[in-house]
């Protein structure tokens, strides 16, 4: 049995028929073709699947698509639509070499934006604490922390 779900994804109205057990990450990747959101663990431990639901970072691998009825979902693709300049946080990740294999990067960027939304321009200790729900197996986090701090500064300057 399927149920209709309607939401806005990256500024576009979306309606889909889904089974009750369909995860948000499955809808995004398999039905909508938004493959920037990754699945790393299926248990909310790695953070590769982080998207924003109504502006709040959520792990989409354990959230049902039906829970998103009427919400606004933003994925990594929604930060800089095709042809648009990169978001300042994406630029900071690139400039600070805060990625290697890239698998965790989309979740890290989406988490970073949530950190900045809630904490402004956080210090290193705060960034490290806030990243505990995201795993990177390549970088050792040093460059990721630097990128988040630089991205937060760039975002603050852009608001002026």
């Amino acid at each position: 049995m399927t149920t209709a779900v309607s939401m806005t994804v990256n500024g576009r109205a979306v309606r889909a028929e889904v089974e009750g057990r369909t995860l948000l990450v499955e809808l995004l990747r398999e039905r909508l073709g938004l493959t920037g959101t990754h699945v790393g663990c299926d248990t909310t431990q790695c953070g590769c699947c982080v998207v924003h639901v109504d502006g709040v970072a959520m792990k989409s691998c354990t959230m049902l698509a039906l829970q998103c009825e009427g919400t606004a979902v933003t994925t990594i693709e929604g930060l800089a639509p095709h042809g648009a300049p990169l978001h300042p946080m994406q630029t900071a990740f690139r400039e600070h070499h805060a990625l290697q294999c890239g698998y965790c990067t989309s979740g890290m960027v989406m988490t970073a934006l949530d950190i900045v939304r809630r904490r402004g321009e956080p210090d290193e200790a705060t960034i490290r604490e806030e990243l505990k729900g995201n795993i990177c197996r390549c970088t050792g986090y040093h460059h990721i922390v630097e990128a988040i701090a630089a991205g937060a500064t760039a975002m603050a300057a852009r608001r002026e």
Side-chain angles (χ1 to χ4, degrees):
M1 184 169 122
T2 63
T3 304
V5 63
S6 297
M7 63 188 79
T8 303
V9 179
N10 298 332
R12 190 179 116 235
V14 171
R15 180 178 166 85
E17 289 288 327
V18 298
E19 292 181 12
R21 65 183 180 188
T22 302
L23 297 171
L24 177 58
V25 72
E26 293 172 325
L27 175 65
L28 295 172
R29 290 182 56 81
E30 297 168 18
R31 300 282 297 282
L32 302 180
L34 299 170
T35 57
T37 302
H38 296 147
V39 179
C41 69
D42 285 327
T43 59
T44 71
Q45 294 181 32
C46 76
C48 290
C49 68
V50 173
V51 298
H52 291 185
V53 178
D54 287 338
V56 177
M58 303 293 288
K59 292 183 177 178
S60 63
C61 76
T62 56
M63 183 173 204
L64 296 172
L66 290 174
Q67 290 177 277
C68 294
E69 173 66 37
T71 66
V73 176
T74 305
T75 69
I76 192 75
E77 292 93 344
L79 297 184
H82 183 71
L86 291 177
H87 185 281
M89 189 62 73
Q90 291 172 303
T91 299
F93 267 68
R94 185 186 69 212
E95 289 175 353
H96 289 270
H97 310 287
L99 48 94
Q100 285 182 9
C101 81
Y103 201 81
C104 72
T105 304
S106 59
M108 288 285 187
V109 169
M110 299 306 284
T111 297
L113 292 172
D114 189 63
I115 293 168
V116 172
R117 177 187 61 81
R118 290 181 294 104
R119 302 292 194 121
E121 291 185 65
D123 61 19
E124 179 181 343
T126 300
I127 293 169
R128 287 184 181 279
E129 179 66 27
E130 292 278 342
L131 284 178
K132 284 189 175 178
N134 292 70
I135 297 172
C136 175
R137 291 175 172 91
C138 299
T139 68
Y141 299 92
H142 179 73
H143 294 296
I144 292 170
V145 173
E146 286 179 341
I148 293 171
T153 299
M155 289 170 64
R158 200 168 96 169
R159 287 186 204 122
E160 296 179 338

